[in-house]
């Protein structure tokens, strides 16, 4: 059994090591509130199945740990017109933003190309402070509730960064890339085509 990443999990425990994460997550969430309807999708998200899954929902909370899934979510969410609440973590730092259904800016404005694979270590390789995913996840949940209820001001167009070692938050303004081929005003988003994202990230764009 692999226990090495349990220190950064908030939905799983040692008794469920080896169980699919979707099953373990559903057990935890329904244990907290049995009235919640949890619909597991025990598949890896790909260009072939993602649209059928995502079109059922009003927004996406992106907890992906790889670039190919992040680019896929960005492109498909723009095509479907649904917002993405994005967060990423590494070591002692996290960042959070909302990519609105309209785009401007989108994930590709922030990261036009993925980094070379050897310059993008995973949490397992670089390490991550165990409590950090929980902090960023709660912030994502806050943005999700705001969007669903139409409350407050979302983080669209702003990037919130968190330095856990200094317990410091910073806010940066995100600017749209005028000629972005995915969210630019000249783009017909309904015609966005999904690509081979594994290949796209393997060659660094």
């Amino acid at each position: 059994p692999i226990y090495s990443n349990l220190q950064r999990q908030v939905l799983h425990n040692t008794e469920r090591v080896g169980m699919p994460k979707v099953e373990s997550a559903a057990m935890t969430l329904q244990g907290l509130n049995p009235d919640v309807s949890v619909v597991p999708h025990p598949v890896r998200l790909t260009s072939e199945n993602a649209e059928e899954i995502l079109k059922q929902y009003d927004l996406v909370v992106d907890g992906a740990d790889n670039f190919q899934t992040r680019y896929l979510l960005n492109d498909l969410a723009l095509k479907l017109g649904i917002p993405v609440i994005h967060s990423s973590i590494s070591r002692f730092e996290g960042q959070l933003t909302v990519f609105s259904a309209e785009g401007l800016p989108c994930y590709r404005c922030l990261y036009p190309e993925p980094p070379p694979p050897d310059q993008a270590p995973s949490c397992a390789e670089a390490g991550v402070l165990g409590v950090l995913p929980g902090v960023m996840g709660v912030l994502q949940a806050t943005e999700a509730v705001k969007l669903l209820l139409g409350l407050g001001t979302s983080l669209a167009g702003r990037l919130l960064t968190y330095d856990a070692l200094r317990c410091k938050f910073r806010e940066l303004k995100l600017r749209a890339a005028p000629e972005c081929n995915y969210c630019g005003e000249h783009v017909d988003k309904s015609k966005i085509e999904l690509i081979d994202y594994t290949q796209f990230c393997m060659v660094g764009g």
Side-chain angles (χ1 to χ4, degrees):
I2 299 175
Y3 299 89
S4 60
N5 71 353
L6 274 176
Q7 93 285 357
R8 62 178 183 266
Q9 305 291 337
V10 296
L11 294 176
H12 315 296
N13 59 44
T14 55
E15 295 177 355
R16 298 185 204 152
V17 170
M19 178 185 294
K21 283 186 174 181
V22 289
E23 294 181 18
S24 177
M27 288 177 63
T28 298
L29 294 172
Q30 291 179 321
L32 290 170
N33 184 349
D35 295 325
V36 169
S37 176
V38 180
V39 181
H41 296 282
V43 296
R44 182 176 296 277
L45 210 61
T46 68
S47 298
E48 288 71 37
N49 65 20
E51 184 165 356
E52 188 63 30
I53 294 172
L54 262 64
K55 69 181 183 182
Q56 305 174 56
Y57 302 103
D58 296 315
L59 56 78
V60 175
V61 179
D62 172 16
D65 62 356
N66 62 80
F67 285 98
Q68 52 263 42
T69 303
R70 292 174 189 157
Y71 282 102
L72 168 59
L73 288 176
N74 176 79
D75 298 354
L76 183 54
L78 286 171
K79 180 178 182 179
L80 297 176
I82 56 178
V84 175
I85 303 165
H86 164 78
S87 181
S88 60
I89 55 174
S90 181
R91 304 195 68 193
F92 304 102
E93 298 179 351
Q95 63 181 29
L96 173 76
T97 189
V98 172
F99 299 115
S100 72
E102 296 79 26
L104 298 171
C106 72
Y107 185 76
R108 287 180 179 272
C109 294
L110 186 59
Y111 299 108
E113 295 183 352
D118 61 348
Q119 295 182 23
S122 66
C123 287
E125 295 165 333
V128 64
L129 182 65
V131 296
L132 184 60
V135 173
M136 303 310 295
V138 167
L139 291 172
Q140 283 182 288
T142 303
E143 290 299 299
V145 170
K146 286 162 52 183
L147 285 175
L148 292 172
L149 298 181
L151 297 175
T153 303
S154 83
L155 273 172
R158 298 179 291 150
L159 181 71
L160 185 70
T161 66
Y162 174 54
D163 180 341
L165 290 184
R166 295 191 294 170
C167 198
K168 185 175 182 178
F169 287 92
R170 292 181 60 203
E171 183 182 302
L172 308 173
K173 184 173 179 59
L174 293 182
R175 298 189 183 280
E179 298 304 317
C180 178
N181 291 323
Y182 288 81
C183 76
E185 294 180 354
H186 64 287
V187 177
D188 182 349
K189 299 177 184 61
S190 66
K191 295 183 179 179
I192 290 176
E193 294 186 3
L194 305 183
I195 62 174
D196 183 338
Y197 293 91
T198 299
Q199 179 65 20
F200 173 72
C201 292
M202 283 286 290
V203 299

